[in-house]
Amino acid sequence: MQTRIDNKKIVLGVCGGIAAYKSVELLRLLNKQGAKVRVVMTQNARSFVGPLTFEALSGYPVCFDLFQNSDSKKDSSIKHIDWARDADAVIIAPATANIIGKFANGIADDALSTFMLALTAPVLLCPSMNSQMYANKAVCRNLSMLRADGYFIVEPKAGELACGDSGPGRLPEPKDILDRLLHCLAPKDLKDKKVLVTAGPTREPIDPVRFISNPSSGKMGYSIARAAEHRGAEVVLVTGPTNLPDPVNVKVIRVETAKEMALAVFEHMEEARIIIKAAAVSDYRPVNLAKQKIKKGKDEITLFLKKNQDILKELGRKKKNQVLVGFAAETENLEINAEKKLAEKKLDIIAANLVDSLSSGFGTDTNRVTLFYKDKTKEALPEMGKDDLAHILLDRIVKVLDVSR
Ligand code: PMT
């Protein structure tokens, strides 16, 4: 499966901190995403994790000395320059107060700090240290200088630290560092654009403990929200109940019912330039909500349902300047149904997916959609990860924006 960092050349700089063990996991995660990762370590980092671990996992010799690699070749000083020239991005994780001070002041007295001086690629710096050290004026000053120099600083998490103190200083989880790397590498073609995304199912209560819903996990909508944020947009995500964590830098509004989703969407529609409705909204809700749990009794009972408002149709009716994108979840007649929804809801694009497959639709990490456009053209996309699909959808939306400019 192709990803956004497939074949990208990433250099992982590891410093001597207790969180160095997490950089092993980060390396594995980057490898899984198809990146080619080389590791440069400080001498102190070797006290926490051995270079052989990184060498075995990355498949490349590890650089930890100006004059010697982990494979004992004596030409590593030249490699620094090659690696710096080739790198698409660099991640320093964990970044200690010492290395931050060296980077900020242009000191080059070991393999990692020398490598950094030869670099032009973007740098993601992940400080991790005791919270008192992190609050130290010199460290704060050095970090501000690096920020001004264009470094992307990933703020440490607050929590219990290895030294027993509690506060900011923990290295973020590898998946969160990966998320910031993707942000760092993404084009910023949605900068200054407001994007409204919906995700997940809605729940229509029958009684205090039961509801009508569907198997939407929210993955598709959250992928779109994350991708839009990576591309510089200001994102509002209106989501039904899911188990997914809030995407970074996204305003998340959690709702339960279709009515609540409609209210939240209409409140934010005016300011949005792009609206993408990936939520699986219940078409019907029970007419009556029982105040108490319905008791088991008769063999058959009847539940009367009432149609919910079609939020997307209403958006199509109200829309002014927005690019409006819907999804169609179908189990049959994909093309006919999608084209009908595209026209009826006045959409610019509809992404139609068959939802009776094991690798596409509800709950899966992958999806297979056909995009239908307002101009009656269509584009069948191969099965791919929802994160990648989100970016392709945004690529197409950017084209629509360019045309309408
Ligand atoms: O969340 P995941 O597990 O990742 O699954 C992803 C998904 C299958 C939910 C997603 O890819 C998808 O297909 N979402 C749309 C599901 C759906 O409700 O399709 P629909 O064909 O019933 O509705 C068409 C469009 O109208 C959708 O954009 C929907 O958000 C919108 N709608 C529907 C009913 C309603 N009352 N209001 C709406 O706005």
Side-chain angles (χ1 to χ4, degrees):
M1 187 168 69
Q2 219 188 338
T3 70
R4 290 265 133 182
I5 56 167
D6 211 28
N7 278 319
K8 288 262 187 274
K9 294 187 182 111
I10 310 291
V11 173
L12 175 60
V14 184
C15 305
I18 188 71
Y21 75 94
K22 279 194 190 172
S23 48
V24 176
E25 196 47 47
L26 178 60
L27 167 59
R28 287 168 60 98
L29 191 60
L30 294 167
N31 276 343
K32 245 176 144 178
Q33 298 276 315
K36 295 191 185 329
V37 188
R38 293 174 189 269
V39 177
V40 184
M41 305 175 75
T42 63
Q43 289 291 348
N44 286 339
R46 294 172 66 193
S47 304
F48 293 89
V49 185
L52 274 180
T53 304
F54 289 116
E55 183 174 328
L57 291 173
S58 69
Y60 293 104
V62 171
C63 181
F64 53 78
D65 189 288
L66 274 170
F67 308 105
Q68 192 188 348
N69 277 335
S70 61
D71 67 353
S72 303
K73 298 231 172 82
K74 299 276 180 189
D75 60 349
S76 63
S77 56
I78 305 297
K79 291 260 185 296
H80 300 152
I81 308 297
D82 286 353
W83 291 14
R85 197 184 295 128
D86 284 358
D88 291 303
V90 173
I91 306 175
I92 309 294
T96 54
N98 183 47
I99 207 78
I100 289 168
K102 286 190 196 181
F103 291 172
N105 293 286
I107 295 169
D109 65 350
D110 66 358
L112 182 55
S113 52
T114 306
F115 160 81
M116 292 299 281
L117 285 191
L119 189 73
T120 52
V123 183
L124 206 67
L125 187 86
C126 310
S128 171
M129 64 196 76
N130 164 275
S131 34
Q132 296 297 337
M133 289 170 74
Y134 187 61
N136 178 277
K137 281 187 183 160
V139 174
C140 293
R141 195 166 54 239
N142 287 334
L143 282 171
S144 312
M145 278 162 67
L146 291 176
R147 229 177 246 116
D149 287 349
Y151 280 55
F152 296 89
I153 314 286
V154 182
E155 296 295 335
K157 297 275 173 220
E160 200 180 318
L161 303 169
C163 57
D165 284 1
S166 205
R170 287 170 67 91
L171 187 71
E173 292 309 312
K175 67 173 178 34
D176 297 328
I177 296 176
L178 172 65
D179 180 73
R180 289 304 84 194
L181 174 70
L182 295 172
H183 175 271
C184 172
L185 292 175
K188 296 293 173 280
D189 49 4
L190 293 178
K191 193 169 178 295
D192 299 328
K193 301 271 183 308
K194 296 199 174 161
V195 178
L196 174 58
V197 183
T198 70
T202 63
R203 284 181 182 172
E204 310 301 325
I206 298 169
D207 69 14
V209 293
R210 300 185 180 97
F211 51 79
I212 298 174
S213 192
N214 60 67
S216 170
S217 62
K219 285 180 186 172
M220 190 66 249
Y222 279 60
S223 287
I224 295 169
R226 266 197 311 272
E229 190 271 335
H230 289 171
R231 294 167 78 140
E234 201 179 303
V235 185
V236 175
L237 172 65
V238 179
T239 173
T242 72
N243 291 322
L244 303 175
D246 289 359
V248 177
N249 287 339
V250 168
K251 177 174 173 164
V252 179
I253 303 172
R254 291 193 177 266
V255 298
E256 293 267 334
T257 63
K259 260 189 186 170
E260 288 168 8
M261 183 168 279
L263 275 177
V265 165
F266 296 140
E267 193 185 325
H268 289 89
M269 78 158 288
E270 290 278 327
E271 68 217 30
R273 182 71 175 88
I274 300 164
I275 305 178
I276 309 169
K277 282 218 78 246
V281 186
S282 297
D283 288 324
Y284 291 90
R285 67 176 182 276
V287 172
N288 296 311
L289 167 60
K291 282 206 173 63
Q292 303 300 332
K293 183 182 167 198
I294 298 171
K295 293 281 177 244
K296 190 162 56 182
K298 294 183 201 156
D299 283 351
E300 285 180 7
I301 58 169
T302 305
L303 196 61
F304 287 99
L305 302 177
K306 191 174 174 186
K307 215 175 192 178
N308 274 329
Q309 180 181 27
D310 189 319
I311 307 168
L312 190 53
K313 198 169 179 183
E314 188 59 16
L315 287 172
R317 213 178 52 75
K318 287 184 172 166
K319 90 167 174 177
K320 292 184 184 128
N321 192 24
Q322 289 94 354
V323 175
L324 195 54
V325 179
F327 272 76
E330 307 297 342
T331 54
E332 58 176 352
N333 301 328
L334 187 78
E335 181 156 351
I336 297 170
N337 290 331
E339 282 176 345
K340 191 163 170 249
K341 287 174 187 175
L342 178 80
E344 269 178 13
K345 305 189 189 205
K346 298 193 171 64
L347 308 179
D348 294 278
I349 306 175
I350 193 158
N353 42 198
L354 285 170
V355 288
D356 55 355
S357 147
L358 286 178
S359 54
S360 168
F362 293 120
T364 52
D365 289 331
T366 49
N367 207 359
R368 188 190 184 105
V369 308
T370 301
L371 300 177
F372 294 85
Y373 298 95
K374 196 165 73 173
D375 65 4
K376 300 204 163 28
T377 56
K378 67 174 181 178
E379 182 183 13
L381 297 172
E383 184 180 299
M384 65 182 84
K386 285 181 176 169
D387 287 346
D388 294 307
L389 176 58
H391 275 288
I392 291 191
L393 188 57
L394 292 175
D395 289 343
R396 304 303 182 260
I397 292 171
V398 167
K399 272 194 191 159
V400 173
L401 283 173
D402 284 346
V403 170
S404 64
R405 195 167 281 159

